Amino acid sequence: MNLLINALLVLYVLVALLMMLVILMQRPKSEGLGAAFGGGVTENIFGAQTTNVLVKFTAWMAGIFFALTFALSILYAHRSMAGDSAFRRELLKSQSAPQTSPAPTAAPQLTPASSPAPSHP
């Protein structure tokens, strides 16, 4: 189970990084922040239809990202329910142990000679 979770986490991080790269490569409609990164550089390098390909690729990456998020949440929930944590064992052990109170001890008797004198303000 942990091996599957770790493999999915690695894939999750790779998809997130790839999705960030693809989003930054896209040319914005308003020429906002994308103009600072070179504007139409991707169209010059990859061709004129790059915008359509990048939009479709971003949509696929987003779908994979959300599917991995859902799968990881299910696996983590299953692992926490199936695994018996140390906290849960201690909690069950303390509830099942009989509650015994310690035997009362004799309180020391104070004699008037040994008790401190009360101070009055």
Side-chain angles (χ1 to χ4, degrees), residues 27-56:
R27 187 171 189 198
K29 305 256 188 275
S30 64
E31 295 294 329
L33 186 61
F37 293 112
V41 173
T42 55
E43 288 181 4
N44 292 336
I45 294 173
F46 300 115
Q49 294 297 322
T50 306
T51 306
N52 295 337
V53 173
L54 290 177
V55 169
K56 289 180 183 178

Side-chain angles (χ1 to χ4, degrees), residues 12-30:
Y12 187 72
V13 169
L14 289 175
V15 166
L17 291 174
L18 186 61
M19 193 167 59
M20 286 189 313
L21 179 68
V22 170
I23 288 171
L24 287 175
M25 284 174 51
Q26 289 182 11
R27 187 171 189 198
K29 305 256 188 275
S30 64

Side-chain angles (χ1 to χ4, degrees), residues 1-119:
M1 173 86 73
N2 284 338
L3 183 64
L4 179 63
I5 290 175
N6 289 337
L8 286 179
L9 278 174
V10 168
L11 185 63
Y12 187 72
V13 169
L14 289 175
V15 166
L17 291 174
L18 186 61
M19 193 167 59
M20 286 189 313
L21 179 68
V22 170
I23 288 171
L24 287 175
M25 284 174 51
Q26 289 182 11
R27 187 171 189 198
K29 305 256 188 275
S30 64
E31 295 294 329
L33 186 61
F37 293 112
V41 173
T42 55
E43 288 181 4
N44 292 336
I45 294 173
F46 300 115
Q49 294 297 322
T50 306
T51 306
N52 295 337
V53 173
L54 290 177
V55 169
K56 289 180 183 178
F57 192 67
T58 303
W60 277 100
M61 287 290 109
I64 293 169
F65 184 81
F66 287 120
L68 284 173
T69 303
F70 186 67
L72 283 169
S73 68
I74 289 173
L75 288 174
Y76 271 116
H78 181 65
R79 185 178 75 170
S80 68
M81 287 182 357
D84 207 16
S85 67
F87 176 71
R88 187 177 196 159
R89 282 193 302 265
E90 287 296 321
L91 186 62
L92 291 174
K93 186 171 70 172
S94 67
Q95 286 179 351
S96 65
Q99 298 291 332
T100 59
S101 61
T105 58
Q109 297 291 330
L110 293 177
T111 60
S114 66
S115 64
S119 62

